[in-house]
Amino acid sequence: MSFDREADLSELLSGEGLESLGKSLAGLLGEDYALVSSKGEWLLGRAGEGRKSISIRLELEPLGHLEASCDEARLRGAAGLVTALLKEARRYHMASELHLEAVHADYEALQEKHHSLLKSEEKYRKLAAELDLRVKEQVRTIETAQRQLYQAEKLASVGQLAAGVAHEINNPLGFVRSNLATAGSYLKDLKGLSGLEGASVSSYWKANGLDFVLEDFAQLLEESVTGVDRVARIVSNLKDFSSVDGSGKKSVDLCENLRSVGELVSGQAGGRIEFEYDLSPLPPFSCFPGHINQMLLNILMNAVQSIEGGGRIRIFSRFESGEILIGIADDGCGIPDEAISRVFDPFYTTRVVGSGTGLGLTVSRDIATAHGGSIGIESAPGRGTEVRIRFPAGGGK
Amino acid sequence: MADYDEEARRLVIKLVYYGPALSGKTTNLMQLHEMLGTELKGDLMTLETQNDRTLFFDLLPVGFRAPSGLMVKFRLFTVPGQVIHDGTRKAVLSRADGVAFIADSQKNQSLNNAESFRNLAENAGRVGISFEDLPLVVQYNKRDLPGIVEEEEILARWSSTKWPVIFASAARGEGVKETLEALLRPVYLSLDADFDLETEHGLSLEGFVGSVLKGET
Ligand SMILES: Nc1nc2c(ncn2[C@@H]2O[C@H](COP(=O)(O)OP(=O)(O)OP(=O)(O)O)[C@@H](O)[C@H]2O)c(=O)[nH]1
Ligand SMILES: Nc1ncnc2c1ncn2[C@@H]1O[C@H](COP(=O)(O)OP(=O)(O)OP(=O)(O)O)[C@@H](O)[C@H]1O
Ligand SMILES: [Mg+2]
Ligand SMILES: [Mg+2]
């Protein structure tokens, strides 16, 4: 149905309008008249003979005719009335039909718009999701690459550590060597006693200050033993740590790991920081010792870095309700409240550009979770930070 | 597609005057109503105007009988140019056999012209008219005004298209008949292909155009 379809007479004249037109026409033309459509439909009046007829046109062609037996002028007047009425009826008819069509078209346009909006929204959402996925994937790839790089770098820094350790070892080695040299000269002094007898012994003793030599000799030896012990300990710590490369799983006593990594770090800190060990016995723990040591080193390095000048680091372990707890607490600068939730984020760092990767804690958490454990951090800004790691007894998967 | 009633021997052709608001579509129809001396010419029906703006459409019916006795009837419509009446424009455009696009020559109307032309192409698509095949003529109206775009520029702009461009001053009656003529020619060609106007009804192109454009006698 379209608005510009040409309506016929019966469509244009219907209902009340037709009824009142009938009354007017009867008044004007008498009872002997009829209004007939071009299709031959009898709309008003009745059949009759010998009437005059006049056609009713709206556009170009007749829509019907009016016939009556009255005089022609009257009939023409009546036809004019019907035409005027039809014109109005058609205006109304077309306008209302068009209005309906237009509203429908607008509605359809709206639906179309809505549809395309939905489609583009869907497309957008899909794109966004895809993008999100792709970005995440990218980030994952980058992170993995970075972490691998980080591992490699940390291994390199273990090398650095070793260099530091070598220096540390050189120290005691140096004084043990000079002690031994001194001891050698003391021995020579003592050798002079052989063959002497009586008073010459005591005069030689005095002349060469052998009282002091003997005393110092003992001290030298004692010192040297301490030095050698220290070297031995450093070497053993280093040996523990160097199991970084030994990739297999091993059953370890985590307290030993804590102590050896702690001592390595404290050696590095050069005495400005006091290390306190508060270690309760732990059950054997099955793990990748290289990774565990790396984790402890990361956390301990952070603790050292948080302390400016002198300070204290407490390393502790507990075994409570089937769970291994190890902790490292410092009295350093602490972490501001707004930053604490981000410290495990990859690449989050507050270090001077270039000096920190922001991966230390990220990797530590990776290692803890890989061993079935968890890691937590608590901090009081300005007062210090405590990191706690928990493992199920016996070790992870 | 023209409405052909074999029994009633009647062909009804719908031509639509399209274009931006106030470009002179209604004025074109008013002038045609004055000027055309077509055998049959109905009243100009203007529907619901508000301050002279077309709200629904204007309709001018004209017609003639072909030598075969076929009644050839034209219904010339205008659309409302105002952007908001898009639904109405679309309804009026549907089933059009030809379109006269009435553009406003004033420089500041270039954008409205372009917008309206794009709207015409879009709506043609929406009501199922192939815009490529639609007989179309472009009229640049209001040539009597100052501040209008130069003829050369307009011609250059449309030279790459197949549509004829007519310059007009509808208010003065200039270019109005020429526009209709330029539209009737392609309309005849497309109808002749469908209804054999020449062979079946003895209606040639010149006869077709001439019958509509007969001067007032
Ligand atoms: N100067 C001048 N004015 C014109 C010309 N043609 C139309 N106008 C005027 O432009 C105004 C708008 O003309 P209409 O014919 O009503 O415009 P329309 O395209 O039907 O406008 P809508 O119905 O709103 O779409 C009227 O004031 C006309 O007198 C012309 O050739 N020259
Ligand atoms: N014990 C701590 N005290 C104060 N701040 C800390 C401590 N541990 C971590 N942080 C804060 O968390 C940040 C992230 O630590 P993380 O170990 O992940 O990276 P980093 O130390 O900056 O870099 P990298 O470990 O590569 O040297 C640090 O930059 C620091 O701001
Ligand atoms: Mg760090
Ligand atoms: Mg108008």
Side-chain angles (χ1 to χ4, degrees):
Chain A
M1 204 57 93
S2 62
F3 82 95
D4 57 351
R5 188 182 48 88
E6 287 170 84
D8 63 24
L9 207 57
S10 60
E11 273 177 285
L12 291 174
L13 294 175
S14 59
E16 268 176 51
L18 186 64
E19 220 171 279
S20 64
L21 177 66
K23 276 183 198 144
S24 317
L25 287 180
L28 229 107
L29 302 170
E31 295 298 314
D32 191 25
Y33 85 98
L35 178 64
V36 186
S37 84
S38 54
K39 287 180 197 154
E41 280 171 291
W42 224 262
L43 289 174
L44 287 171
R46 58 173 175 229
E49 302 267 311
R51 290 169 171 169
K52 292 180 193 86
S53 165
I54 191 163
S55 72
I56 308 283
R57 290 170 189 268
L58 204 50
E59 283 195 14
L60 306 176
E61 300 149 284
L63 276 178
H65 71 270
L66 187 65
E67 57 179 50
S69 53
C70 67
D71 68 275
E72 191 155 346
R74 251 172 204 267
L75 184 58
R76 210 186 304 279
L81 182 77
V82 173
T83 309
L85 199 83
L86 281 174
K87 269 190 185 166
E88 269 322 299
R90 181 184 59 161
R91 280 170 76 89
Y92 173 72
H93 195 77
M94 286 184 90
S96 61
E97 292 273 314
L98 177 61
H99 183 66
L100 272 179
E101 248 184 83
V103 166
H104 187 69
D106 282 340
Y107 176 71
E108 273 187 339
L110 223 81
Q111 270 196 324
E112 198 179 300
K113 220 182 257 171
H114 178 68
H115 193 72
S116 66
L117 217 76
L118 275 184
K119 240 167 54 193
S120 71
E121 190 195 326
E122 191 185 272
K123 216 180 350 185
Y124 167 76
R125 213 181 304 151
K126 232 161 94 188
L127 198 80
E130 247 171 55
L131 211 75
D132 193 48
L133 222 83
R134 243 181 285 162
V135 165
K136 272 188 184 142
E137 211 172 281
Q138 284 284 328
V139 166
R140 243 197 320 271
T141 320
I142 292 172
E143 279 185 18
T144 315
Q146 287 279 7
R147 286 187 204 185
Q148 278 164 358
L149 199 73
Y150 178 83
Q151 299 270 11
E153 264 178 18
K154 275 292 155 167
L155 285 182
S157 81
V158 168
Q160 252 171 25
L161 202 71
V165 167
H167 175 78
E168 236 188 298
I169 290 175
N170 266 336
N171 243 349
L173 277 183
F175 72 76
V176 168
R177 167 176 281 279
S178 92
N179 282 358
L180 289 179
T182 313
S185 75
Y186 286 166
L187 255 183
K188 232 186 246 148
D189 290 344
L190 289 174
K191 246 198 187 142
L193 279 176
S194 70
L196 293 183
E197 273 169 28
S200 59
V201 170
S202 72
S203 70
Y204 182 84
W205 192 275
K206 262 193 194 126
N208 287 288
L210 288 187
D211 270 339
F212 168 79
V213 166
L214 273 186
E215 202 178 316
D216 197 37
F217 203 167
Q219 216 172 321
L220 284 180
L221 285 180
E222 210 175 303
E223 251 182 51
S224 296
V225 168
T226 319
V228 168
D229 277 355
R230 211 162 112 196
V231 170
R233 212 175 53 241
I234 290 168
V235 167
S236 107
N237 285 342
L238 200 60
K239 220 173 78 202
D240 284 352
F241 199 90
S242 67
S243 62
V244 162
D245 307 293
S247 53
K249 247 189 169 181
K250 256 195 210 158
S251 184
V252 302
D253 176 2
L254 283 175
C255 289
E256 275 175 27
N257 296 65
L258 279 170
R259 196 176 283 282
S260 68
V261 179
E263 280 178 7
L264 273 176
V265 172
S266 74
Q268 296 291 285
R272 71 180 169 98
I273 298 168
E274 196 181 315
F275 281 71
E276 180 193 332
Y277 296 89
D278 172 12
L279 303 175
S280 304
L282 295 175
F285 183 67
S286 165
C287 67
F288 294 98
H291 291 166
I292 291 292
N293 288 343
Q294 161 125 53
M295 174 185 77
L296 297 177
L297 180 68
N298 289 344
I299 295 163
L300 274 164
M301 290 300 271
N302 283 345
V304 169
Q305 282 165 315
S306 77
I307 297 169
E308 220 178 317
R312 250 176 108 77
I313 293 176
R314 195 170 77 93
I315 300 171
F316 60 93
S317 66
R318 298 277 178 278
F319 182 58
E320 333 172 300
S321 40
E323 205 178 53
I324 291 171
L325 164 69
I326 58 186
I328 291 159
D330 64 66
D331 61 356
C333 61
I335 301 167
D337 290 340
E338 64 273 14
I340 192 99
S341 64
R342 307 188 48 202
V343 294
F344 289 106
D345 290 351
F347 311 116
Y348 173 78
T349 179
T350 57
R351 316 265 181 246
V352 208
V353 181
S355 68
T357 64
L359 280 170
L361 287 176
T362 316
V363 167
S364 300
R365 193 173 51 185
D366 286 351
I367 293 170
T369 30
H371 286 86
S374 66
I375 186 167
I377 190 163
E378 262 174 48
S379 186
R383 296 226 308 277
T385 304
E386 185 171 309
V387 177
R388 287 179 178 229
I389 304 142
R390 291 169 197 280
F391 292 114
K397 326 141 235 183
Chain B
M1 179 68 155
D3 191 8
Y4 181 56
D5 187 340
E6 180 119 46
E7 220 166 297
R9 300 188 56 69
R10 213 163 155 261
L11 178 67
V12 184
I13 300 161
K14 182 177 184 179
L15 303 180
V16 174
Y17 280 66
Y18 211 96
L22 294 175
S23 66
K25 301 175 290 294
T26 302
T27 308
N28 263 269
L29 244 59
M30 280 162 46
Q31 288 290 354
L32 286 171
H33 183 240
E34 290 288 310
M35 296 190 303
L36 289 182
T38 320
E39 184 187 336
L40 298 162
K41 187 168 74 175
D43 290 338
L44 173 65
M45 169 170 142
T46 60
L47 236 141
E48 306 302 316
T49 66
Q50 219 177 39
N51 315 320
D52 275 349
R53 312 301 297 273
T54 305
L55 267 189
F56 288 105
F57 59 86
D58 309 307
L59 168 59
L60 175 65
V62 294
F64 63 88
R65 279 202 191 276
S68 68
L70 177 75
M71 168 76 172
V72 181
K73 181 173 169 182
F74 295 86
R75 302 181 96 201
L76 276 54
F77 282 94
T78 68
V79 299
Q82 292 177 81
V83 175
I84 49 162
H85 300 308
D86 198 43
T88 308
R89 256 198 306 284
K90 202 157 48 173
V92 173
L93 180 64
S94 62
R95 293 175 307 277
D97 296 297
V99 169
F101 183 78
I102 311 301
D104 192 324
S105 294
Q106 296 176 92
K107 281 183 179 149
N108 59 9
Q109 294 299 307
S110 297
L111 220 70
N112 290 338
N113 292 335
E115 191 97 325
S116 175
F117 194 79
R118 206 177 52 219
N119 174 256
L120 166 62
E122 269 172 21
N123 278 341
R126 290 201 185 105
V127 300
I129 292 174
S130 157
F131 193 59
E132 273 300 295
D133 305 326
L134 176 70
L136 179 81
V137 52
V138 178
Q139 178 193 89
Y140 268 81
N141 189 27
K142 306 195 186 178
R143 298 309 297 172
D144 56 296
L145 288 181
I148 54 175
V149 183
E150 303 278 326
E151 283 195 13
E152 296 76 56
E153 196 181 326
I154 291 169
L155 289 175
R157 201 179 300 161
W158 290 85
S159 64
S160 61
T161 73
K162 55 181 186 206
W163 301 302
V165 176
I166 310 287
F167 294 96
S169 178
R172 297 177 179 183
E174 294 163 14
V176 172
K177 272 181 142 186
E178 289 80 351
T179 302
L180 182 57
E181 179 179 349
L183 179 57
L184 286 172
R185 289 180 182 278
V187 166
Y188 174 86
L189 295 179
S190 82
L191 292 177
D192 187 37
D194 290 331
F195 304 112
D196 300 322
L197 295 181
E198 176 105 58
T199 53
E200 287 279 313
H201 300 284
L203 193 55
S204 68
L205 171 61
E206 295 313 321
F208 181 83
V209 174
S211 298
V212 178
L213 293 175
K214 252 193 211 159
E216 195 88 279
T217 38

